[in-house]
Amino acid sequence: MKKIILTVTLFLVSVITITAQNWQTDFTLAKDISSKEHKPIILVFQGSDWCGPCIKLDHEIWSTDAFKKYADKNYVMLQADFPKRKKNALPEAQTKANAKLAEAYNKNGIFPFVVVLNAKGEVLGETSYKKTTPENYIKEINAFTK
């Protein structure tokens, strides 16, 4: 019985890992990965539990297979989340780190807000939610890196 439970658990973890977007939450680590792998950083400011357009952007773009496959090979994904519900509260250190990112890159408090950065943290372009396809969103982001 233990072997069956262990096997099922490992299978589920594998499936979740394969289908999940690889989001970073540490800016320094994201810059390091960006530098080593020569990939731009996609910094996403979102309110995951209250912002309707943020949730749509996640469902229509970030969570699609087309975007996840492309992003895995071409971008470093960095998330700065600002949840409001107590049950979704982030650790204090993460809340402070996200606030620091917002001070530097999202002074107007726009949600969702997508900032494309190079490995040094320099802004290459900015966008937000758009009703479009993952492929067209990729084209828009790629235009910032050319």
Side-chain angles (χ1 to χ4, degrees):
M1 185 65 172
K2 287 183 180 180
K3 286 184 179 182
I4 293 171
I5 292 171
L6 180 62
T7 303
V8 169
T9 302
L10 288 173
F11 173 75
L12 291 175
V13 168
S14 297
V15 169
I16 290 168
T17 302
I18 290 169
T19 60
Q21 182 71 46
N22 188 18
W23 289 100
Q24 300 298 321
T25 56
D26 181 304
F27 188 42
T28 302
L29 179 59
K31 287 192 297 184
D32 288 345
I33 294 168
S34 174
S35 181
K36 288 176 188 166
E37 298 182 8
H38 307 287
K39 297 177 183 178
I41 299 168
I42 309 297
L43 169 56
V44 180
F45 291 94
Q46 67 177 27
S48 63
D49 64 2
W50 59 272
C51 170
C54 300
I55 294 165
K56 284 184 177 183
L57 184 59
D58 182 52
H59 289 293
E60 295 172 12
I61 305 298
W62 310 140
S63 294
T64 65
D65 287 338
F67 188 85
K68 288 188 288 188
K69 285 178 186 174
Y70 190 84
D72 187 49
K73 294 177 183 171
N74 296 282
Y75 308 133
V76 177
M77 300 298 294
L78 176 62
Q79 184 181 74
D81 194 15
F82 293 83
K84 288 188 177 179
R85 293 189 185 128
K86 199 172 195 175
K87 70 178 185 175
N88 299 330
L90 301 173
E92 186 176 341
Q94 188 65 55
T95 300
K96 287 180 180 179
N98 290 353
K100 188 175 177 183
L101 281 171
E103 285 176 29
Y105 297 104
N106 191 5
K107 291 179 183 183
N108 294 324
I110 299 168
F111 290 90
F113 192 55
V114 179
V115 185
V116 182
L117 306 166
N118 65 18
K120 295 177 184 176
E122 298 166 337
V123 176
L124 303 174
E126 300 170 343
T127 189
S128 189
Y129 170 75
K130 293 181 174 126
K131 181 72 176 162
T132 188
T133 65
E135 294 78 11
N136 285 336
Y137 209 85
I138 289 167
K139 286 178 188 173
E140 179 179 355
I141 291 170
N142 284 344
F144 299 136
T145 63
K146 303 280 180 196

